[in-house]
């Protein structure tokens, strides 16, 4: 049994880490991770569940529906009583005639309702455990309008809980005035620390659960990344075009990852587990979303689910951040 925490005010007790299904969406879209093996993806999900992970985070946009379909395949041989919670997201709409085009950020109520029905069908479930608005809408729909739609879906029983992803503290405050924000899903890692300035504190104060994504900064903090690997990323892997994976930023990030090795050795674990545990050490963070494309990758970070970093560990990590100049934002919980 892995340690769990209550997700905000919901009735869900979730493991400290959940399976992230972004990469398993495949390569044939604008923000893919390169070609994936669906059989390995299914095996990775089932292995994570067998090891005790009790939630999966996906989104309609991942692989333009394909990630949700792979999740359904993985569930096919898992008894209903043993299936993990399923979290997914809406608000990014794609063009089937141009799969490489960036999706539109749409909040129109009719679109959100179409999306939830499509996700229910692809996932093969009667109710989604957590439904999240992926990004603030850019189609002219006010936040109040799309948030009310999500609240209505919850009231109707189509979804169990509702949340916001990639929204600011000010936007959370606006949404909260209409109905409680069950969760926030922000990017958060020892390299990308900005949400520790306001959003984590807001969620902690309002009993809003927080499930952070990219705690290993999309692979940079696994302990297995290198300049050579970054240069070899295929063109259909979005990281090949990301600033954190090139030039001086990459150099700083890899130096920082190297600095985590002594801390990992101290706990007889992996650099990946330390990087994830760092995000879980912050007040307000309920869980971390961690991706995997094979059972072996799951085993590489599973220790994070029960790893408690010491005060000295956190001080050493803060010093390493300062020494390498990696990322931006607060350095240490409570400091």
């Amino acid at each position: 049994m892995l340690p769990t925490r209550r997700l905000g005010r919901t009735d869900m007790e979730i493991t400290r880490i959940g399976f992230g299904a972004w990469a398993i969406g495949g390569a044939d879209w604008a923000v893919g991770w390169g070609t994936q093996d669906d059989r390995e993806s299914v095996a990775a999900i089932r292995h994570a569940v067998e090891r005790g992970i009790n939630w999966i985070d996906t989104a309609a946009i991942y692989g333009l529906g394909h990630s949700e379909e792979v999740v359904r395949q993985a569930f096919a041989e898992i008894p209903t009583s043993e299936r993990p919670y399923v979290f997914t997201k809406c608000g990014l709409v794609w063009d089937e005639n141009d799969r490489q085009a960036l999706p539109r950020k749409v909040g129109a109520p009719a679109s959100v309702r179409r999306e939830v029905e499509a996700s229910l069908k692809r996932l093969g479930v009667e109710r989604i455990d957590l439904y999240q608005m992926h990004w603030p809408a850019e189609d002219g729909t006010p936040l109040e309008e799309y948030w009310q739609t999500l609240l209505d879906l919850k009231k109707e029983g189509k979804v169990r809980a509702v949340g916001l992803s990639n929204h600011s503290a000010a936007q959370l405050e606006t949404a909260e005035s209409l109905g409680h924000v069950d969760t926030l899903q922000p990017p958060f890692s020892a390299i990308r620390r900005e949400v520790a300035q306001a959003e984590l504190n807001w969620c902690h104060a309002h009993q809003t659960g927080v499930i952070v994504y990219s705690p290993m900064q999309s692979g940079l903090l696994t302990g297995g990344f290198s300049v050579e690997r970054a240069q070899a990323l295929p063109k259909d892997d979005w990281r090949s075009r990301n600033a954190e994976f090139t030039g001086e930023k990459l150099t700083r990030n890899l130096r920082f990852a190297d600095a985590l090795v002594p801390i990992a050795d101290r706990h007889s674990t992996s650099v990946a587990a330390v990087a994830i545990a760092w995000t879980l050490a912050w007040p307000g963070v309920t869980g971390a979303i961690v991706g995997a494309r094979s059972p072996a990758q799951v085993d590489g970070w599973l220790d994070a689910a029960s790893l408690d970093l010491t005060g000295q560990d956190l001080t050493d990590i803060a010093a390493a951040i300062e020494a390498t100049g990696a990322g931006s934002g607060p350095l240490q919980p409570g400091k």
Side-chain angles (χ1 to χ4, degrees), residues 15-20 53 55 188-191 212-219 221-223 256 260 263-264 269-282 285-292 297-309 314 317:
T15 46
R16 300 303 312 281
I17 51 179
F19 186 97
I53 300 296
W55 56 287
F188 189 46
S189 74
I191 291 174
V212 302
Y213 71 86
S214 296
M216 298 183 296
Q217 197 58 45
S218 303
L221 299 181
T222 58
F256 173 65
L260 298 182
I263 299 165
T269 191
S270 64
V271 167
V274 170
I276 298 162
W278 181 88
T279 69
L280 298 173
W282 288 75
V285 175
T286 315
I289 302 163
V290 192
Q297 288 185 346
V298 173
D299 291 336
W301 46 250
L302 195 67
D303 279 358
S306 52
L307 174 60
D308 289 321
L309 297 178
L314 295 172
I317 292 170

Side-chain angles (χ1 to χ4, degrees), residues 258-270:
D258 288 342
L260 298 182
V261 172
I263 299 165
D265 291 345
R266 196 181 296 165
H267 292 277
S268 300
T269 191
S270 64

Side-chain angles (χ1 to χ4, degrees), residues 176-252:
E176 186 75 7
S177 67
L178 293 176
H180 183 56
V181 181
D182 290 320
T183 64
L184 173 69
Q185 182 179 143
F188 189 46
S189 74
I191 291 174
R192 191 172 181 183
R193 307 181 300 275
E194 294 86 354
V195 296
Q197 294 172 329
E199 285 74 25
L200 294 187
N201 293 331
W202 188 96
C203 290
H204 189 52
H206 290 82
Q207 295 181 295
T208 290
V210 177
I211 52 172
V212 302
Y213 71 86
S214 296
M216 298 183 296
Q217 197 58 45
S218 303
L220 286 170
L221 299 181
T222 58
F225 221 84
S226 65
V227 172
E228 292 74 22
R229 186 174 171 189
Q231 292 173 341
L233 288 170
K235 290 183 179 180
D236 57 4
D237 187 325
W238 70 272
R239 295 175 297 176
S240 67
R241 304 179 295 277
N242 185 268
E244 298 291 350
F245 289 80
T246 60
E248 180 58 30
K249 281 193 174 183
L250 176 62
T251 301
R252 290 198 298 265

